[in-house]
Amino acid sequence: IGKGIGRVFGSSAKLAADPPSSPSSSSGRAGQYTAATYSPEHYLVPDPKAAAHSGAVSGYTVDLDPNMGPTKHGSARAGDADGGATRGPTTKGAVATDVGDDSYLKGFLAEEVRPQPPVEEGPLAELMRVTQAQERGLLRQAAVCRVAVARMANLQRIMLGREGTSGRTDKDIHGEIEQWKTRTMDLQLQLSHCLSGAGARISDLVNEKSAASFLSVTPMELHASEESSEEALAPRPASAKRPEPKKISGKLEGPSIRQPDGSLKPLDKIKKGKDDKAKVVVPPKIPDLQLQVFPQEIEQKYRVGTYHGCPVYGAVLNPQKDAYEYAGDTELHLIWDVDQSKLVGEGTNDVELVIKCVLWWKEELKHDPAFIPRGVDHKIKKEFQEYCENFELAQAFDSVMHLLLRPGAKEFTLQHPQAKWWTFTNKDREVDGQVVRDVSDDDGLVGTYQANPHEVSGNQVIDANKYALQILDEIASKHAGIKNEERPIIGVRGKRKDLARVVRLIQNKRKASGQDESKPVTVVLLDDRFQDAYGNCQANDPRILCHIPAYNAITEDKKDALIEGMNKILPVDTLLKFYTAFKTADKNHALVQCVDIMSDDQSMLIKKKGSKLEDTYFEYTPKVAPLGVVPPKLKPFQWVPCR
């Protein structure tokens, strides 16, 4: 970020007029590129007349573009007709003739941007490549911004040029105007966060000014952006003139750094005023650019932000009513975490593990005729085949789901017929910065099949992790009374839950069906975790987190019923028979390892006991809450009028 921002926005350090011609002392092909050659200073052109120019900065010319603001000229390369390594065409030409998407972007990146130097291999090579990728992304976005200004200029000319409209918007372009408003302000806010945070810290490392200062918008411009299209485009009277600047006469009060003859005073002779104190550098405040939808008191109480052009609101607990209140004219979306929230925590994981292990046996036996070792007794082999053939995943989950569901979950669901339901669970994982999709496909939905065909049969094979989670969610929603679930959301283990992703999915669905993308939503996550549940989009805002007590153990009255249900799915005697036969024939068989994992010391449902194979036995020991400890009743969500 720092490198890319530095190249685009220039430097306040001492600049060199010409790049050095001598190669660096570094070895390799990257040796010909020195730090000065590709520093931000190399992109500016010296101008001896700059001192007299009102817009000059450090002796270098600044093009005062009336549409885009100050734009620094770049140093010309050999063969460049207009100079300007990073300047690109101004919006003056873009307003006159509209620019095309692909052709303009390619031309901007290929002809107007200085090529990146090769990376010299070493300990920091990977970081340099990442920084160059950041530069390419920022430059691409810069070209997109130029296209956006041209498009908005053309749209504005259409609005102003229509006869009889008096500068007012028509219904056919009102939707596009609203999209430009919300998405531009959303980008401004997020870019301000990026450049004033991570971008500023990178700029500090290279002693450069933060690019966040170039995002400043005057109060007049901010006010105009929030006005309605009718007010913003209303014609102004011809008599309206810009007021003359107020003239100042007489001697100015206060300390001066100049002597009576006009020369500068020595530093130690300058007198300081009474109020002069050491100033603390405060980062610039990021303006709140979201458009107001409801009255001010509703906005302040419930408004969380604007994500992907959609106004997002939260819910606030009312202790007197023992309920959460939310803005009534919003669309309510409730995201329910699975483990320890919708379903019992440890029990859910272990029940799912046992059942999907059996599903894996069934799939392997279907695709690999040699899955059963040769040494297994023929009678046990036949029994194993019949057991796997008759196993039904959905039926197994359905038989015990009423024991795993959080008490009062169905009643809570029926209290909210207006809600749209989501399910969240962290089942994917991350390895070396790359997400490994254990249960989700590339579209983020819960998958069904493995990415690669089976190594023996060569056919597509069901992935036990994916399919078990898919059926688990369907059966859990059925028992919880959720009939129209929006979709299950899969996250990465150990990562925070990002509700901006939910808003993006809502907007994508609206766009595909032609619905209004500006309709406000209330998004709330039901989760047993408090601090860890916050995502990047919430800015640690508790209004979109309904913190509920963890449900991590079944009650005492459900213990015997769960043991009986699991013995119907996988009897411990049958499991011991299969385990002993397979381990005797092949102690390293995959089934043996699978059973060892699901019944080890970490398991909260089934335990393998006995030190030797002949002494081994299995027992279901579900985790049980202390007598009388029951999860409290969930607080409902009630809408309040907001207009």
Side-chain angles (χ1 to χ4, degrees):
I1 294 175
K3 196 79 171 180
I5 291 174
R7 292 184 181 181
V8 176
F9 293 103
S11 170
S12 59
K14 185 178 179 181
L15 308 182
D18 296 314
S21 58
S22 59
S24 170
S25 58
S26 302
S27 60
R29 59 176 181 172
Q32 57 182 315
Y33 299 98
T34 64
T37 305
Y38 282 93
S39 64
E41 295 84 348
H42 183 46
Y43 288 86
L44 306 184
V45 176
D47 187 355
K49 298 181 181 180
H53 194 280
S54 60
V57 178
S58 303
Y60 289 78
T61 61
V62 179
D63 178 19
L64 299 179
D65 192 320
N67 294 295
M68 293 294 288
T71 305
K72 297 181 181 180
H73 289 276
S75 60
R77 293 167 293 165
D80 284 345
D82 57 351
T86 62
R87 182 187 178 197
T90 68
T91 54
K92 298 175 184 177
V95 171
T97 57
D98 192 12
V99 292
D101 291 298
D102 198 54
S103 60
Y104 176 78
L105 295 178
K106 288 182 179 179
F108 182 91
L109 296 173
E111 300 175 7
E112 303 296 338
V113 179
R114 182 180 296 277
Q116 294 177 330
V119 173
E120 183 177 354
E121 296 301 326
L124 300 180
E126 188 62 27
L127 288 179
M128 288 187 282
R129 292 189 180 95
V130 171
T131 303
Q132 287 184 336
Q134 294 168 355
E135 179 188 5
R136 290 193 298 270
L138 289 170
L139 290 174
R140 177 85 182 188
Q141 187 62 38
V144 170
C145 289
R146 293 294 177 92
V147 175
V149 170
R151 294 294 172 82
M152 285 188 280
N154 286 336
L155 181 61
Q156 181 174 262
R157 289 202 307 275
I158 294 173
M159 295 159 57
L160 296 175
R162 294 193 174 184
E163 297 181 0
T165 61
S166 300
R168 298 181 184 274
T169 60
D170 294 336
K171 292 183 179 180
D172 56 341
I173 57 176
H174 177 73
E176 184 177 354
I177 294 172
E178 290 301 318
Q179 288 185 5
W180 278 113
K181 282 183 180 180
T182 56
R183 296 181 184 184
T184 301
M185 295 306 177
D186 193 26
L187 175 62
Q188 173 78 1
L189 185 62
Q190 296 185 24
L191 195 58
S192 298
H193 277 292
C194 174
L195 296 183
S196 61
R201 292 191 289 270
I202 292 293
S203 298
D204 290 341
L205 292 177
V206 294
N207 296 323
E208 292 296 330
K209 184 179 180 181
S210 172
S213 60
F214 290 84
L215 290 175
S216 60
V217 184
T218 65
M220 181 66 70
E221 292 169 331
L222 276 176
H223 178 69
S225 66
E226 296 177 355
E227 293 177 348
S228 64
S229 57
E230 290 84 356
E231 295 174 349
L233 298 174
R236 299 189 179 186
S239 59
K241 295 182 180 180
R242 186 183 298 275
E244 295 291 334
K246 184 178 180 181
K247 296 183 180 180
I248 301 176
S249 59
K251 184 178 179 181
L252 297 177
E253 298 181 356
S256 174
I257 62 172
R258 295 188 178 275
Q259 300 185 37
D261 61 352
S263 60
L264 293 174
K265 292 181 181 180
L267 190 61
D268 57 345
K269 299 294 183 182
I270 298 176
K271 296 181 179 180
K272 297 183 178 180
K274 296 180 180 179
D275 297 333
D276 290 349
K277 298 179 180 179
K279 295 184 178 181
V280 180
V281 178
V282 180
K285 183 180 178 181
I286 300 173
D288 187 3
L289 302 178
Q290 61 189 17
L291 301 178
Q292 182 170 321
V293 179
F294 301 119
Q296 187 65 26
E297 60 272 13
I298 297 295
E299 294 284 322
Q300 291 180 350
K301 186 174 182 179
Y302 300 105
R303 184 67 175 264
V304 175
T306 302
Y307 307 133
H308 305 284
C310 180
V312 179
Y313 295 80
V316 178
L317 179 63
N318 187 333
Q320 287 74 26
K321 296 182 179 180
D322 198 29
Y324 288 93
E325 295 181 338
Y326 70 97
D329 288 348
T330 62
E331 193 175 82
L332 179 62
H333 290 261
L334 298 179
I335 301 97
W336 208 336
D337 184 60
V338 172
D339 297 332
Q340 300 191 135
S341 298
K342 180 190 289 186
L343 303 178
V344 63
E346 300 297 338
T348 302
N349 293 333
D350 292 321
V351 170
E352 180 190 1
L353 177 59
V354 172
I355 293 177
K356 72 183 179 184
C357 280
V358 179
L359 174 63
W360 177 72
W361 301 348
K362 180 177 181 178
E363 289 301 312
E364 285 298 308
L365 190 61
K366 185 189 302 182
H367 291 270
D368 185 4
F371 179 71
I372 303 176
R374 292 183 178 181
V376 174
D377 181 73
H378 180 73
K379 186 177 180 180
I380 296 178
K381 178 179 179 180
K382 184 178 180 180
E383 184 180 353
F384 181 78
Q385 291 173 334
E386 291 178 351
Y387 172 80
C388 292
E389 183 179 351
N390 296 325
F391 176 77
E392 292 293 339
L393 182 68
Q395 183 179 351
F397 275 128
D398 191 57
S399 64
V400 295
M401 187 57 66
H402 64 286
L403 303 170
L404 307 178
L405 189 66
R406 186 186 190 94
K410 187 172 184 179
E411 292 76 8
F412 177 75
T413 302
L414 297 178
Q415 286 180 309
H416 305 90
Q418 79 280 20
K420 296 181 181 293
W421 297 91
W422 304 66
T423 301
F424 194 99
T425 183
N426 286 351
K427 294 293 184 181
D428 287 341
R429 55 195 170 92
E430 189 176 57
V431 178
D432 297 332
Q434 299 294 324
V435 175
V436 179
R437 297 185 177 274
D438 287 336
V439 296
S440 66
D441 288 339
D442 291 336
D443 58 1
L445 288 169
V446 184
T448 301
Y449 298 99
Q450 293 183 6
N452 301 316
H454 195 274
E455 61 272 14
V456 177
S457 68
N459 298 326
Q460 193 175 39
V461 57
I462 289 178
D463 189 303
N465 284 323
K466 297 179 180 180
Y467 192 56
L469 180 62
Q470 183 182 137
I471 301 303
L472 171 70
D473 179 65
E474 291 178 4
I475 302 300
S477 296
K478 169 188 169 183
H479 283 259
I482 299 176
K483 297 181 180 179
N484 297 315
E485 184 183 41
E486 291 294 300
R487 66 176 274 177
I489 303 296
I490 307 302
V492 179
R493 279 174 240 165
K495 296 292 183 181
R496 293 178 175 179
K497 302 174 177 67
D498 183 12
L499 298 192
R501 177 186 172 198
V502 175
V503 179
R504 175 173 58 82
L505 294 171
I506 294 173
Q507 292 294 75
N508 291 344
K509 186 175 181 179
R510 287 175 171 179
K511 186 176 181 180
S513 58
Q515 299 179 21
D516 183 12
E517 296 181 46
S518 62
K519 184 178 180 180
V521 298
T522 293
V523 180
V524 181
L525 172 67
L526 308 174
D527 202 332
D528 64 289
R529 294 182 179 272
F530 189 64
Q531 296 295 339
D532 292 343
Y534 290 132
N536 296 329
C537 73
Q538 289 103 312
N540 291 340
D541 197 321
R543 290 174 294 181
I544 48 181
L545 171 66
C546 173
H547 181 240
I548 59 180
Y551 179 42
N552 54 18
I554 62 174
T555 54
E556 182 70 30
D557 59 327
K558 294 181 179 180
K559 176 181 177 181
D560 294 338
L562 181 58
I563 293 176
E564 182 181 354
M566 292 305 301
N567 269 310
K568 289 181 180 179
I569 297 173
L570 179 60
V572 290
D573 294 338
T574 303
L575 175 61
L576 177 61
K577 187 185 304 182
F578 295 158
Y579 178 79
T580 304
F582 275 69
K583 189 168 185 178
T584 302
D586 182 3
K587 64 178 181 180
N588 295 321
H589 195 276
L591 183 142
V592 176
Q593 299 178 25
C594 175
V595 175
D596 286 340
I597 292 174
M598 76 179 189
S599 60
D600 61 10
D601 294 337
Q602 302 298 322
S603 173
M604 301 298 294
L605 177 64
I606 187 170
K607 297 287 188 181
K608 183 184 70 173
K609 299 183 178 181
S611 57
K612 299 180 180 180
L613 181 60
E614 55 270 18
D615 299 331
T616 300
Y617 68 98
F618 294 92
E619 182 181 7
Y620 285 110
T621 58
K623 184 178 180 181
V624 179
L627 186 64
V629 177
V630 180
K633 183 180 178 181
L634 297 176
K635 298 178 176 63
F637 287 80
Q638 299 177 356
W639 65 272
V640 295
C642 53
R643 294 188 187 274

